[in-house]
Amino acid sequence: MLSRFAKAFLATTVLLFLLTVMAFIHPNPMSYVDPWTGNLFGEGGVEKSLPRPSDDLPGPSSNIVHGTVIMPKLANETAKAALGRATWKLMHTMTLRFPEHPTPDERSALSSYFHLTSRLYPCGECAEEFQMLLKKFPPQTASRRSASLWLCSLHNEVNKRLNKSIFDCAHLDDEYDCGCGDEPIKKTPSPSSDPMDLEIDPSKDDLTGV
């Protein structure tokens, strides 16, 4: 016969064993066991000694913003011309909507955008020319006026090389007016006002169809 002490010791041992088994069968809900290594990942586990995924991602350093061209050459001349027109319209509209009194962060964002565009522009040879222009004429971001006139001057540098007419920068607002203004007018949405409706031709009048 076992003594009362022996029975208590045995019961305690069995209870501890069951608790240990339960801990492995039902680990912390914020943890998991790696099936390949058997390591327990989670709160208090080995994951604290491993680098976070975000640690492996480079931040927006100067090397990234001012790196070399990434894209290859674009042989399709039709696609190249269409891409150029769309990109100039985007950038001109952007500078014309830029704040009159930008913060340092906003100025840095616009400058970084132009430099990143010179790396990621789908036409590699065009991107190389854009990079050379940015080195010769760095982005001016002190105000909306300085940014828009700087970009217009840069555009005219390209026009000179292509033997195109020089654009009068005094008429930028007329040429690249987005129609949105500084304060968008609130109006009742209609089926034709959805910008994601690709079936609509914005160049046609709703009444005449012309």
Side-chain angles (χ1 to χ4, degrees):
M1 297 293 293
L2 296 175
S3 65
R4 184 176 300 178
F5 175 80
K7 290 180 179 179
F9 177 80
L10 182 60
T12 303
T13 303
V14 172
L15 180 61
L16 290 174
F17 175 78
L18 292 176
L19 290 175
T20 303
V21 172
M22 290 297 293
F24 279 99
I25 295 177
H26 300 287
N28 188 298
M30 297 298 293
S31 64
Y32 66 95
V33 177
D34 187 340
W36 296 101
T37 65
N39 291 328
L40 178 64
F41 287 76
E43 295 182 359
V46 298
E47 70 170 355
K48 289 187 176 181
S49 64
L50 298 178
R52 298 288 182 180
S54 60
D55 294 342
D56 298 330
L57 298 177
S61 65
S62 178
N63 291 336
I64 294 177
V65 175
H66 299 281
T68 57
V69 173
I70 295 175
M71 302 302 185
K73 290 186 176 182
L74 183 61
N76 189 318
E77 294 297 328
T78 302
K80 185 187 299 185
L83 181 64
R85 289 191 297 269
T87 304
W88 281 121
K89 182 173 179 61
L90 168 65
M91 294 195 298
H92 281 300
T93 306
M94 185 184 303
T95 56
L96 288 169
R97 297 278 293 161
F98 193 61
E100 293 282 5
H101 306 287
T103 64
D105 177 68
E106 291 167 343
R107 295 185 62 182
S108 176
L110 184 62
S111 179
S112 296
Y113 175 85
F114 288 124
H115 283 100
L116 286 173
T117 298
S118 74
R119 297 196 64 196
L120 293 167
Y121 191 71
C123 169
E125 62 272 32
C126 310
E128 290 178 354
E129 180 182 1
F130 193 43
Q131 282 199 341
M132 290 188 293
L133 287 172
L134 289 179
K135 290 179 180 179
K136 188 175 181 179
F137 308 102
Q140 303 299 308
T141 61
S143 65
R144 175 184 300 176
R145 178 180 173 82
S146 62
S148 59
L149 291 179
W150 165 81
L151 184 63
C152 182
S153 176
L154 204 71
H155 195 167
N156 278 332
E157 290 294 324
V158 177
N159 287 336
K160 291 177 185 177
R161 185 185 63 79
L162 298 176
N163 294 320
K164 292 185 176 181
S165 58
I166 301 302
F167 184 76
D168 185 358
C169 295
H171 296 91
L172 273 174
D173 288 334
D174 299 331
E175 182 70 18
Y176 296 102
D177 182 15
C178 64
C180 42
D182 287 338
E183 296 295 334
I185 300 175
K186 295 182 179 179
K187 59 181 180 179
T188 304
S190 62
S192 63
S193 64
D194 187 353
M196 299 306 294
D197 190 349
L198 303 181
E199 298 297 327
I200 297 173
D201 186 354
S203 65
K204 291 185 179 181
D205 184 88
D206 292 336
L207 297 177
T208 64
V210 178

